[in-house]
Structure formats: structure tokens, C-alpha cells
Amino acid sequence: MPNPSPTRQAPAPAPPRAPRRAWRSVLLGGLLIMLTVGAAYYLRHQVQLNRYARRAWATFTKGGLTGREKTPLLAGYSVHGIDVSAYQGRIDWPEVARHNVRFAFIKASEGATLRDARFARNWREARKAGVLCGAYHYFQPNRNGQVQADLFARTVPLAPGDLPPVLDVEAANFHDVAVLRREVARWLRLIEAHYGVRPILYSNHSFYKRHLAGHFDAYPLWLAHYEVERPALARSKWIIWQHSDEAYVPGIRGVVDFNVFQGNFKDLEALRVPPPPAPPKLPTPRARHR
């Protein structure tokens, strides 16, 4: 007799699938939370984020700039200036001078060892073009103030008629504000003794208010404060206002910091490094009578 056909077993039921709608709800809920948090963060920091975005775009498109773009001068001030570093690349200083840039602060050094790669050229060419010049040091709070002062003094050949030296204090990588203030004071004191002129202190508004206000009032203040009609500090507190970090000046391809001086050009000239004191006159020897 033929063998009977084997009995076929019914296939095992597939494991239940998680409902797709639940996963979609979780995903959409997460995206909604991210969008809400992102929108709240943007609304709180939109001025800063917009500025970063514009600077990033300007850097990205720098190859397409001609170096002839121009930002209008800030109304209400007669003395305008810029500050530059190696970031600006090669600068056509005669062209810059032709567009009402009366003064320039040029980065010379940073921390304990860094010298700006374009300082010597910028210093020479800006002065040759007739721009009133000063130099600045970017302060690193985790470095000794005397070491940083020594680097600046070895780098910058300030002469009578130049603008005072500047200390740029805005780096927030420090743990003890008392140590920061002590080393800043050391730099300022040593540089004043070296050049015979009181240095200028530079900082942005929030950093200055939080860490420096009330501790360095004897020094002229150069204040950075953007996206405002006027600095929040009283006019008696500052002498130079950096009102933009994304300006265009013919002769520079890309953005540059724009500043105004509070006063006229003669007031600015009064800040310059003074000439050395004249040697005392020796008494005229009396003629001997025979």
C-alpha cells in the first residue's frame, strides 16, 4: 500500500508588530520638543546668533568680495577707526585711509608666545598711509601678566606720536576672577612704565560689567557693544566704542571691526605717546678771569 502523504503543519503565527502609529507619535513629539526648545533659544539669543551667522557667511563668501564694499559711517561721530589682525589678510592701507579711517589699532601679540603674523607689515604700511596707529595685545587669563607684557614690549616699537598700547581682555577661560584682575593689573602697570603712557583697556560690555567694572577705572576704556544705538555705559565711562564687528571698509576684503572715538581728532591726538622729557639744562660755566 502507498505511504500516506505527510501531514502539513500550519505556519507559526508572526510575532505582533509594534503599532506604527505609536512610533510616529513618539517621533513627532520629539521633533516638536526640539523645535520648541530651539525656537526659545533662538528668541533669547537671536542677536548673537544672527551676528555669528552673518560673520560665517561673510567668511564663506570672502572669495567673492572685491575689497571695495563699504559700510556707512556711524552718524554723530567725527572720528572713525578700525582694528585689525592677520584675519583681515593683506590690507590696502592707502585705500583704507582715503575712506575716513583716522585711526587703527593693530594686533601685535597674544598670550605668552604668539606674535601676529601681519603686525610688522600692517604697522609699517598703516603709518606710511597717514593713519594714526596703536597696537593691542590679546590677554590670555591663564598666562602670567608679566610674561605677556614682556612679549608685547619686545614686539611693538611704539614711538612718540603713536596711540597708547591696548590690552584686550575678553577671554573667559579662567577660574579665579581675582587672579585675572591681578594679572591684568600687572600687565597695565608694566606697560605704562615701559612706554611712559597709560594703556587703554578693551573689553566687551557683558565681560566688562561682570569681571572688570570698578577695578580699572583709572584706565581709558574701549568698549565693544553691538546691535545697540549707543553703549549701555555712560559716556563718561568710555572713550572708544566698537559698534560693529562686521563692517566693510574699502581696501579690506571681508569684515572688519568698526569704531568711533568720543571726541574730535585733536582729543584723540592728545592721547598719543608723549615725547621723552628734555634733558635738564646744565648750568653755563662761568668764564674764568685771569
Side-chain angles (χ1 to χ4, degrees):
M1 295 179 65
N3 293 328
S5 301
T7 303
R8 292 184 178 180
Q9 296 182 352
R17 295 181 179 179
R20 292 185 178 180
R21 291 182 179 179
W23 283 104
R24 289 177 181 175
S25 298
V26 171
L27 181 60
L28 290 174
L31 289 174
L32 182 60
I33 292 173
M34 291 175 62
L35 288 173
T36 303
V37 172
Y41 184 86
Y42 174 76
L43 290 174
R44 184 175 180 181
H45 303 282
Q46 58 180 312
V47 172
Q48 189 71 30
L49 292 173
N50 289 344
R51 183 163 66 250
Y52 286 154
R54 291 194 298 268
R55 286 184 66 88
W57 177 252
T59 301
F60 180 75
T61 60
K62 189 173 182 178
L65 298 174
T66 65
R68 295 189 295 272
E69 294 79 11
K70 184 176 181 179
T71 297
L73 299 176
L74 188 65
Y77 297 88
S78 61
V79 184
H80 304 266
I82 60 176
D83 54 280
V84 301
S85 68
Y87 172 80
Q88 272 71 39
R90 186 165 183 171
I91 298 173
D92 183 346
W93 283 104
E95 182 68 11
V96 168
R98 281 193 287 270
H99 287 83
N100 294 315
V101 172
R102 307 297 302 276
F103 67 92
F105 286 99
I106 301 168
K107 184 177 181 179
S109 51
E110 176 178 335
T113 58
L114 190 151
R115 287 183 169 94
D116 189 90
R118 292 188 177 271
F119 171 71
R121 179 185 181 89
N122 281 332
W123 188 253
R124 181 180 65 252
E125 296 299 323
R127 297 174 83 197
K128 185 178 177 180
V131 178
L132 191 55
C133 290
Y136 74 91
H137 175 86
Y138 187 89
F139 191 80
Q140 289 290 359
N142 55 351
R143 298 284 187 172
N144 180 277
Q146 180 172 349
V147 173
Q148 298 191 63
D150 290 343
L151 174 65
F152 183 83
R154 293 195 308 269
T155 304
V156 181
L158 279 184
D162 293 326
L163 289 174
V166 173
L167 183 61
D168 179 347
V169 185
E170 57 183 312
N173 54 327
F174 63 89
H175 301 289
D176 190 336
V177 69
V179 174
L180 167 74
R181 292 169 183 156
R182 182 191 69 201
E183 298 307 314
V184 167
R186 190 197 305 269
W187 192 99
L188 294 169
R189 184 174 62 253
L190 292 172
I191 291 300
E192 182 173 359
H194 180 78
Y195 292 109
V197 65
R198 181 154 293 183
I200 296 171
L201 180 66
Y202 167 97
S203 191
N204 64 67
H205 177 259
S206 60
F207 190 97
Y208 177 80
K209 291 287 288 183
R210 187 177 298 116
H211 303 300
L212 305 176
H215 295 273
F216 300 97
D217 292 346
Y219 295 91
L221 177 63
W222 173 8
L223 184 69
H225 201 184
Y226 313 131
E227 309 287 350
V228 293
E229 292 185 3
R230 64 183 63 86
L233 294 183
R235 290 176 66 91
S236 59
K237 295 290 187 180
W238 57 270
I239 62 167
I240 300 173
W241 171 26
Q242 186 181 93
H243 58 87
S244 175
D245 61 347
E246 50 187 15
Y248 292 96
V249 174
I252 300 175
R253 181 177 290 183
V255 293
V256 65
D257 298 337
F258 228 173
N259 306 272
V260 290
F261 175 72
Q262 188 181 160
N264 56 38
F265 192 67
K266 287 186 176 181
D267 296 328
L268 181 63
E269 289 181 313
L271 295 176
R272 295 178 298 175
V273 177
K281 293 183 178 181
L282 297 176
T284 305
R286 294 181 180 180
R288 293 184 179 181
H289 298 284
R290 294 183 179 180

